[in-house]
Amino acid sequence: MTSNKSIHKPPAHLSKSTKIWWRSVVSEYQLEPHHLRLLQAACEAWDRLQQSRELLLRDGLVVEGREGGMRPHPAVAIERDCRIGFSRLVRELDLDVEPPASSPRRPPALVSNRGRA
């Protein structure tokens, strides 16, 4: 049987550090095809978050508006949205908790957040 790690290579467009994270997740969990799509979306959100942070470091948090006043840099919203998206995808995959010791290297069952206190 071929290992899960060799079957599911990270998408080529991901950054080097994100590919490393992809490989670690794939090696620790046995993921179904829909989990791999969620993992790819999480990786893309992380990379986009990093790109927006680099823009903000270069350009600053605010830019001059058309009327001459200052307004938030558009990358502020991109960074926020990607941070939220990444966090939700990690939670959806249950990567923010340790996998149960009794399971055969699978993510725990997904639980709906609805109705939680």
Side-chain angles (χ1 to χ4, degrees):
M1 182 174 177
T2 310
S3 75
N4 198 27
K5 186 176 180 180
S6 65
I7 293 173
H8 304 296
K9 294 181 181 178
H13 65 278
L14 298 177
S15 70
K16 183 178 178 179
S17 64
T18 304
K19 286 179 184 179
I20 291 168
W21 184 68
W22 167 286
R23 288 183 190 104
S24 73
V25 171
V26 169
S27 70
E28 291 179 34
Y29 294 94
Q30 183 179 355
L31 302 174
E32 300 296 327
H34 63 282
H35 294 134
L36 292 170
R37 289 181 184 259
L38 292 173
L39 179 59
Q40 180 174 336
C43 289
E44 291 165 345
W46 181 260
D47 279 350
R48 188 63 46 139
L49 173 114
Q50 297 307 312
Q51 291 170 345
S52 62
R53 289 188 72 220
E54 290 172 14
L55 279 174
L56 292 170
L57 286 172
R58 185 190 73 203
D59 299 343
L61 292 174
V62 294
V63 294
E64 190 173 328
R66 276 189 263 168
E67 306 289 320
M70 300 303 282
R71 63 179 183 84
H73 192 294
V76 170
I78 296 168
E79 180 188 28
R80 178 198 62 230
D81 294 347
C82 289
R83 186 179 310 275
I84 291 168
F86 175 80
S87 299
R88 288 179 179 169
L89 289 160
V90 166
R91 185 178 64 213
E92 183 72 21
L93 287 165
D94 284 331
L95 300 178
D96 57 339
V97 295
E98 287 292 318
S102 62
S103 84
R105 296 169 53 98
R106 295 182 57 89
L110 298 178
V111 179
S112 172
N113 288 323
R114 285 184 250 151
R116 288 188 180 175

